[in-house]
C-alpha cells in the first residue's frame, strides 16, 4: 500500500467514524492556495476542519508530533480561504480545528477536538 492509498484509507475510516458520531461531511481533500484540509465537517452548528493522520505501527501519541507549526499554519490559511469562499453557507457557524489519528492496524481512533492552533 503506497502513501496515497494509506492516507485515503485512513480518511475513509475517519469519515465513517465522524458520520457515526453525527457529523455531516461537507468536503474531503479541500485544496486551497496554501494547502489541503483532509476533512471539513459540520458538528451541529460548528464547522470543523480536520487533519487526519494514518499510522500503522507508530503510537498515536507519537503521531501527534507529526503536526508541526508549518502544517498548522497551512491548515489555518486553507480554512480561511474555505470560509471566504463559502461565507454565505457557513456565516452563522462557529469553527473548530480537530486532529484525528487513525491506527488502521489496531482499528483505533484518537480524536483531539478543539485543538488550539498558533498562527
Amino acid at each position: 500500500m503506497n502513501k496515497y492509498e494509506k492516507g485515503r484509507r485512513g480518511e475513509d475510516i475517519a469519515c465513517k467514524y465522524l458520520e457515526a458520531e453525527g457529523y455531516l461531511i461537507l468536503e474531503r481533500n479541500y485544496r486551497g492556495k496554501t494547502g489541503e484540509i483532509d476533512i471539513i465537517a459540520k458538528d451541529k452548528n460548528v464547522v470543523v476542519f480536520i487533519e487526519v493522520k494514518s499510522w500503522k505501527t507508530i503510537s498515536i501519541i507519537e503521531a501527534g508530533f507529526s503536526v508541526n507549526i508549518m502544517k498548522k499554519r497551512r491548515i489555518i490559511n486553507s480554512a480561511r480561504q474555505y470560509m471566504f469562499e463559502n461565507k454565505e453557507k457557513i456565516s452563522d457557524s462557529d469553527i473548530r480545528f480537530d486532529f484525528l489519528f487513525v491506527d488502521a492496524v489496531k482499528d483505533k481512533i484518537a480524536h483531539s477536538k478543539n485543538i488550539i492552533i498558533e498562527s
Side-chain angles (χ1 to χ4, degrees):
M1 181 180 307
N2 66 32
K3 184 178 177 180
Y4 173 80
E5 291 168 336
K6 183 175 80 167
R8 189 72 172 166
R9 183 170 186 270
E11 289 171 13
D12 290 343
I13 292 168
C15 283
K16 287 179 186 172
Y17 162 81
L18 292 166
E19 288 171 336
E21 293 291 312
Y23 289 67
L24 172 65
I25 306 301
L26 300 175
E27 290 206 39
R28 286 182 65 170
N29 304 112
Y30 169 79
R31 290 199 182 275
K33 292 178 183 176
T34 60
E36 178 188 35
I37 298 174
D38 294 326
I39 300 171
I40 302 172
K42 199 137 187 198
D43 180 19
K44 298 178 181 85
N45 196 40
V46 179
V47 175
V48 187
F49 299 94
I50 303 164
E51 173 69 12
V52 178
K53 289 293 182 184
S54 301
W55 300 93
K56 60 179 181 180
T57 58
I58 198 165
S59 77
I60 287 174
I61 292 170
E62 292 170 309
F65 292 111
S66 70
V67 184
N68 62 31
I69 190 67
M70 293 305 293
K71 180 67 174 177
K72 290 176 183 180
R73 285 183 182 149
R74 284 193 292 272
I75 293 168
I76 289 169
N77 290 331
S78 296
R80 285 181 179 142
Q81 183 177 349
Y82 177 84
M83 290 185 297
F84 178 76
E85 292 172 355
N86 295 279
K87 55 187 162 201
E88 292 84 25
K89 187 167 48 172
I90 64 168
S91 64
D92 61 344
S93 301
D94 291 327
I95 64 165
R96 188 175 84 211
F97 295 92
D98 290 3
F99 294 142
L100 212 149
F101 302 102
V102 177
D103 181 334
V105 172
K106 298 178 183 174
D107 274 343
K108 288 186 179 181
I109 293 176
H111 187 177
S112 298
K113 296 181 181 179
N114 205 26
I115 299 298
I116 298 172
I117 299 181
E118 300 171 8
S119 59

